[in-house]
Amino acid sequence: MKPLLNVAAGESTATEAGEQEVTGEVLAIRGGRPLTGRVEVKGAKNLVTKAMVAALLGETVSTLRDVPDISDVHVVRSLLEVHGVRVEDGEEEGTFHFDPSGAVSAHFEEIDAHAGASRIPILFCGPLLHLLGEALIPDLGGCRIGDRPINFHMDALRAFGAVVDKSYEGIRITAPNGLHGANIELPYPSVGATEQVLLTAVKAKGTTELRNAAIEPEIMDLIAVLQKMGAIISYEPNRVILIEGVDTLRGYDHRAIFDRNEAASWACAALATDGDIFVGGARQQEMLTFLNVFRKAGGWFDVREDGIQFRRDGALKPVVVETDVHPGFMTDWQQPLIVALTQAEGTSIVHETVYENRLGFTDALNQMGADIVVHPRGLDTPGRRVPRRALEQAAVINGPTALHGADVVVPDLRGGYSYVIAALAAEGESIVRNVGIIRRGYEKFLAKLDMLGADFDVIG
Ligand code: EPU
């Protein structure tokens, strides 16, 4: 069996730099046609998968609504099933029922079969420790956008009283004396580590105080799910979350918050292709920061009862953007925005401050005619809103540049979406390979492109 953990690199799940998972599916895309029409977004990938894990904590059946048909959901469903959770499709599309009453320890081979497929397995730790007293963690997947260590997760679990054993086989976590409440301060407001603490603290003995927590809308929605289950969680000022542990939790019935990453992606697609897209299910509140930048970049939007319409408002304008944790500009929004900024009249700067390797996708945009220079150690521009981080990079985008077709390989989820949008904005034909990765986070991606009038063929 292959080693599950790069022990030499500490608590890291990094694989070889630049390694790419090839999932197949090749598109021939003929660009130059604006995308127009309506698409619907369902529940957020980054909430739905966590709410599915939360179902393990309940003593009765949980029901989750608006679950998108994406491969990250398939992976978490299979992992729940190997742990004995019965998952049934509901009557309405995107509704699932999770019955955890038969939950059991899974064999390592069954868990390992999901190695590398998603980052969610790490969040099974708390629920499995409460339920079974042990958790086994496979090699984690997710997009290769940096080292993506799990040290915050492991430190938090140890603070709750868990014992973490790293062996050549993987990570085995046990709680010989049960789990107790803890005082935890995260070194950075990590989304995953905040979720780890929430999913563990709700049933730990005593109170947990989490400082420097992430407060993304998807985390607030997870708190809502847990509260429906009977958890006692209060959200204090300054990124502090208090969790009073309870002995038992019940199942929930919850409609997932919409996917604001997908909504922002389609908004940028409208901007880049000079199209007009109505995103059904998108809401303003969770997208305020995005909408400000969208408007400053020359976008026009109209917020309606059932969604938001996006298009250009004349020529595109350059912007300076810094990605950040919520309520900042999300790291997942910068890739499709950069495609649109190649068409803006002037020089834009995008500082990536969340991950250390999330601008590599711009090489392919340059291959298509863009003029983007990446500064791997960031740029000290005056008037920064976000404190400079050691791992920061910056992209300087000079526009407008005519884009032309190219042969490119999708590197990761958001980068991949951007390649497709760039190909649609470009003159001539592009070949985009490895499009399967995009299914990790975009439901019915090809069907939606088709509905918006994109001109493409699946050729492999
Ligand atoms: N970090 C550590 N140690 C840890 C955990 C995180 O150093 O133990 C660092 C990371 O390396 C990174 C920063 O903290 O530099 C932020 O990472 P975070 O934990 O917040 O990210 P995540 O939970 O792994 C989720 C989303 C990402 C999204 C980020 C930021 C899921 C499944 N993934 O990742 O989504 O970009 O939060 O909002 O929820 C995507 O959807 O394409 C995607 C990558």
Side-chain angles (χ1 to χ4, degrees):
M1 189 185 292
K2 65 183 164 39
L4 291 178
L5 184 76
N6 182 355
V7 180
E11 284 171 346
S12 161
T13 60
T15 50
E16 281 171 54
E19 183 188 338
Q20 244 169 34
E21 174 196 13
V22 176
T23 60
E25 253 179 57
V26 184
L27 300 186
I29 298 176
R30 290 161 294 277
R33 240 198 229 185
L35 292 188
T36 55
R38 174 177 179 131
V39 289
E40 302 295 324
V41 292
K42 279 220 197 78
K45 163 177 94 64
N46 292 347
L47 171 274
V48 161
T49 44
K50 330 298 172 63
M52 289 170 74
V53 178
L56 263 175
L57 290 163
E59 290 190 350
T60 51
V61 175
S62 288
T63 300
L64 187 58
R65 302 172 193 278
D66 268 354
V67 178
D69 185 12
I70 54 175
S71 51
D72 265 18
V73 164
H74 304 162
V75 171
V76 180
R77 177 181 182 154
S78 303
L79 270 166
L80 286 171
E81 284 171 340
V82 302
H83 283 100
V85 176
R86 230 183 49 231
V87 184
E88 279 178 7
D89 293 8
E91 43 310 321
E92 193 191 345
E93 191 200 311
T95 297
F96 288 91
H97 305 294
F98 305 96
D99 180 356
S101 57
V104 286
S105 280
H107 292 293
F108 198 80
E109 288 69 26
E110 292 173 306
I111 298 174
D112 194 35
H114 298 83
S118 158
R119 294 191 62 73
I120 312 301
I122 185 108
L123 296 177
F124 277 67
C125 293
L128 288 178
L129 287 173
H130 285 302
L131 203 61
L132 309 166
E134 74 165 352
L136 300 170
I137 304 301
D139 186 14
L140 300 179
C143 291
R144 295 187 174 114
I145 49 185
D147 192 35
R148 304 194 81 177
I150 54 169
N151 51 333
F152 304 165
H153 295 253
M154 294 302 127
D155 288 347
L157 288 166
R158 287 189 190 103
F160 284 111
V163 177
V164 178
D165 288 315
K166 282 182 274 178
S167 74
Y168 208 61
E169 277 217 301
I171 311 181
R172 181 165 176 268
I173 302 162
T174 49
N177 304 313
L179 297 171
H180 52 75
N183 264 318
I184 297 169
E185 173 151 4
L186 295 177
Y188 182 78
S190 149
V191 168
T194 299
E195 293 159 343
Q196 182 77 264
V197 170
L198 288 170
L199 290 166
T200 308
V202 284
K203 281 187 78 182
K205 289 247 168 299
T207 300
T208 295
E209 178 173 319
L210 175 64
R211 293 182 300 283
N212 207 21
I215 52 167
E216 267 62 8
E218 294 77 18
I219 288 184
M220 294 300 135
D221 208 36
L222 180 63
I223 290 177
V225 168
L226 293 167
Q227 190 182 50
K228 284 179 178 174
M229 300 178 80
I232 302 173
I233 304 174
S234 52
Y235 164 48
E236 311 279 313
N238 302 322
R239 296 188 176 277
V240 176
I241 300 178
L242 292 179
I243 307 121
E244 293 172 46
V246 296
D247 289 339
T248 55
L249 293 170
R250 57 183 176 275
Y252 62 80
D253 187 334
H254 190 75
R255 188 171 295 280
I257 187 174
F258 79 102
D259 197 314
R260 63 199 173 111
N261 289 345
E262 182 173 355
S265 299
W266 291 117
C268 292
L271 214 53
T273 65
D274 199 2
D276 188 336
I277 302 180
F278 183 85
V279 182
R283 289 200 316 230
Q284 179 182 17
Q285 279 300 321
E286 293 79 5
M287 297 188 72
L288 290 173
T289 306
F290 175 82
L291 293 173
N292 287 337
V293 173
F294 185 80
R295 192 176 130 98
K296 286 200 255 179
W300 175 96
F301 62 86
D302 187 29
V303 178
R304 300 208 216 123
E305 193 59 25
D306 56 342
I308 307 180
Q309 183 185 355
F310 299 96
R311 61 173 154 81
R312 281 190 194 177
D313 186 16
L316 296 189
K317 298 175 213 140
V319 288
V320 176
V321 179
E322 305 165 43
T323 66
D324 198 6
V325 293
H326 189 75
F329 191 89
M330 279 199 83
T331 167
D332 306 281
W333 294 338
Q334 52 94 344
Q335 304 82 347
L337 178 72
I338 284 179
V339 178
L341 293 178
T342 66
Q343 304 310 304
E345 291 177 1
T347 300
S348 299
I349 305 177
V350 174
H351 299 268
E352 170 57 52
T353 80
V354 179
Y355 290 109
E356 69 271 33
N357 183 19
R358 221 179 181 183
L359 289 171
F361 75 98
T362 56
D363 287 350
L365 300 185
N366 285 340
Q367 221 180 303
M368 299 171 96
D371 176 358
I372 304 173
V373 178
V374 173
H375 297 260
R377 292 199 179 79
L379 275 179
D380 284 315
T381 46
R384 292 286 306 274
R385 173 186 175 276
V386 179
R388 184 104 159 66
R389 281 190 85 200
L391 51 67
E392 183 171 314
Q393 322 124 73
V396 176
I397 305 122
N398 291 307
T401 48
L403 298 180
H404 54 75
D407 190 330
V408 292
V409 183
V410 165
D412 61 59
L413 177 62
R414 308 293 169 195
Y417 180 95
S418 303
Y419 288 6
V420 172
I421 297 313
L424 288 163
E427 282 304 321
E429 186 173 89
S430 292
I431 304 297
V432 184
R433 300 174 194 276
N434 217 17
V435 174
I437 287 186
I438 299 176
R439 270 201 303 271
R440 279 196 44 228
Y442 293 88
E443 184 185 45
K444 300 180 184 153
F445 181 56
L446 298 186
K448 284 178 182 173
L449 285 179
D450 196 40
M451 279 189 304
L452 294 172
D455 183 6
F456 67 95
D457 291 310
V458 178
I459 58 167

